[in-house]
Amino acid sequence: MADISTVWSPLIGAADWQQQGPLLASGNDLETAILISLFTDRIAGQADAIPDGTGDPRGWCCDDPARPIGSRLWLLRRAKQTTETANRARDYIVEALQWLIDDGAVIKFDVRVQWIGPGQLGAWVVAHRADGTKAALQYDWAWKGMN
């Protein structure tokens, strides 16, 4: 059985389930898994500085301490637009997607990150499946005004 299809809506600036008429659409499992992996808040590590100063490590209801879901991209919310910040974003993306390799859903990811405008980080993710097919995804709109 396929997962409920999740898509990014630039109009609302968030992901949402896709509808097919009055029903929820299914499919796009890999893209849905990538969206959830990148744009849900993984719980912060003990050494992570919380950007808003509250000390709230975030995370979400589906977190398993042994295998957290989501990314730590939220920690970059107030980071300066530097090469170091872009490198940390890339590391957080790679970390968030690792479970898809561990589970055998893909054999590897190519991830590229760069600043594409003031306060706008772009990320390009290519998922390589075992059958030789690829899924190429681009995210830039998600980080407009991030810092």
Side-chain angles (χ1 to χ4, degrees):
M1 183 172 165
D3 291 334
I4 296 170
S5 184
T6 304
V7 295
W8 187 266
S9 172
L11 293 174
I12 63 171
D16 199 359
W17 288 336
Q18 189 172 33
Q19 287 192 278
Q20 193 169 41
L23 304 174
L24 291 173
S26 62
N28 299 323
D29 295 354
L30 181 58
E31 291 84 355
T32 294
I34 291 171
L35 273 171
I36 291 169
S37 297
L38 296 182
F39 299 110
T40 56
D41 296 345
R42 177 181 288 216
I43 193 164
Q46 291 192 1
D48 290 328
I50 308 301
D52 64 7
T54 63
D56 179 5
R58 293 200 190 179
W60 66 302
C61 64
C62 293
D63 268 340
D64 173 353
R67 199 166 178 190
I69 295 174
S71 76
R72 294 187 296 155
L73 287 166
W74 67 273
L75 292 169
L76 302 177
R77 180 100 181 133
R78 296 182 185 210
K80 292 182 180 178
Q81 189 169 334
T82 64
T83 300
E84 178 186 347
T85 299
N87 289 339
R88 283 180 52 207
R90 184 190 180 286
D91 292 345
Y92 291 161
I93 290 169
V94 168
E95 173 187 63
L97 298 174
Q98 182 60 45
W99 75 272
L100 290 163
I101 296 170
D102 296 345
D103 281 4
V106 298
I107 56 172
K108 73 174 187 168
F109 284 99
D110 296 326
V111 178
R112 186 171 58 94
V113 175
Q114 72 180 45
W115 294 106
I116 57 175
Q120 188 175 3
L121 185 66
W124 295 265
V125 176
V126 178
H128 297 264
R129 295 183 182 104
D131 66 4
T133 61
K134 298 176 187 176
L137 306 158
Q138 178 180 335
Y139 306 102
D140 58 352
W141 33 258
W143 290 294
K144 286 181 184 173
M146 180 179 74
N147 52 352

